Amino acid sequence: MRLLSVNVGRPHRSDHTDQAQGVTGIRKQPVEGPVAVAAPGPKGTGGSGLAGDSVCDLRHHGGNDQAVYAFAREDLDGWEAELGRPLPNGSFGENLTTTGVDVNGALIGERWRVGPDLLLEVCAARIPCLTFQGELGEMGVLPAKGGRPGAGGVKRFTRAAAPGAYLRVVEPGSIRVGDPVRVEHRPEHEVTVSFLFRAETLERELLPRILAAGDALHPEALAEARRYAGEHAS
């Protein structure tokens, strides 16, 4: 298990965001490194955990519980085959493109040692937003039916339930291409990244079951599950 690439993005103008300056950092490009990674601060003020990476809309992205986004090369390869077009590392806006790592099968609260120093904790699934939909459609990734950017691509992404994982930084460190990824802790519950994504999207009846992951969940997912469980208590 290792990093195939470390990817960062700079702000660029987009027609697919309502961010105040009309910019997004979703288009990530591989860099050689080393890249310093640290907790960026609370959501709303903290951006990306990776030095040199831009998170432009702090209302919805970034912060300690969305510090790093990981996506498996194996899943990119699957989309390449389905779409019939190349998808370079970073195509889904991920910071870390991995190989040999079961990103969507990772458990919430699972901890990864990346390189010698960095320790990350899996805490959330990537939920596609309008910017994700529009930008990836414009780049020819996950197009709508008929080849036009739009909701069709996001529906396909959602049905696949392989969204990649957001991670928080437990111990800061520097990383580079080729660094090993080692699972140092795996909790004893059923809540994988894929399970969480299904609960937050098409199978909301699963929401009470994600409470088994406890405080390792992104605080917003935890609050949503508690609210749903309360409303549907018998």
Side-chain angles (χ1 to χ4, degrees):
M1 301 191 296
R2 61 186 175 89
L3 296 183
L4 275 186
S5 70
V6 179
N7 315 303
V8 303
R10 304 304 302 163
H12 70 275
R13 295 200 61 80
S14 171
D15 294 330
H16 309 293
T17 180
D18 62 357
Q19 190 264 358
Q21 287 75 45
V23 295
T24 176
I26 194 171
R27 297 186 182 184
K28 310 296 186 190
Q29 297 292 325
V31 293
E32 290 299 317
V35 177
V37 184
K43 187 173 182 178
T45 57
S48 174
L50 278 74
D53 184 43
S54 296
V55 172
C56 300
D57 192 344
L58 299 180
R59 299 169 302 170
H60 305 301
H61 302 290
N64 291 333
D65 299 298
Q66 294 173 231
V68 179
Y69 178 41
F71 204 84
R73 182 63 242 182
E74 291 84 353
D75 290 320
L76 284 171
D77 291 342
W79 284 112
E80 277 193 343
E82 180 170 339
L83 299 171
R85 61 173 61 88
L87 296 176
N89 295 340
S91 289
F92 277 73
E94 76 272 15
N95 299 117
L96 308 181
T97 309
T98 65
T99 185
V101 181
D102 186 3
V103 174
N104 296 295
L107 293 164
I108 301 302
E110 184 170 309
R111 291 188 169 187
W112 301 351
R113 180 73 65 181
V114 184
D117 303 315
L118 180 65
L119 185 64
L120 301 175
E121 182 176 84
V122 178
C123 60
R126 171 68 178 266
I127 305 297
C129 62
L130 290 176
T131 303
F132 180 94
Q133 169 186 319
E135 285 288 309
L136 270 65
E138 190 172 287
M139 291 187 287
V141 181
L142 301 187
K145 186 175 181 180
R148 297 181 303 276
V154 168
K155 288 178 181 177
R156 292 165 74 181
F157 183 86
T158 302
R159 286 195 299 268
Y166 277 123
L167 304 102
R168 57 174 65 98
V169 178
V170 179
E171 298 174 3
S174 293
I175 56 174
R176 63 173 69 235
V177 175
D179 273 348
V181 178
R182 302 182 297 277
V183 177
E184 288 205 346
H185 169 70
R186 191 167 167 86
E188 296 182 358
H189 57 67
E190 66 176 337
V191 188
T192 63
V193 170
S194 182
F195 187 100
L196 173 61
F197 182 79
R198 289 163 50 209
E200 291 186 295
T201 55
L202 300 178
E203 301 176 59
R204 293 182 63 79
E205 68 277 7
L206 298 178
L207 277 171
R209 291 168 58 183
I210 75 171
L211 291 170
D215 291 339
L217 287 163
H218 191 294
E220 293 173 6
L222 181 59
E224 182 182 21
R226 285 172 171 166
R227 183 169 54 252
Y228 183 96
E231 292 172 352
H232 292 80
S234 57

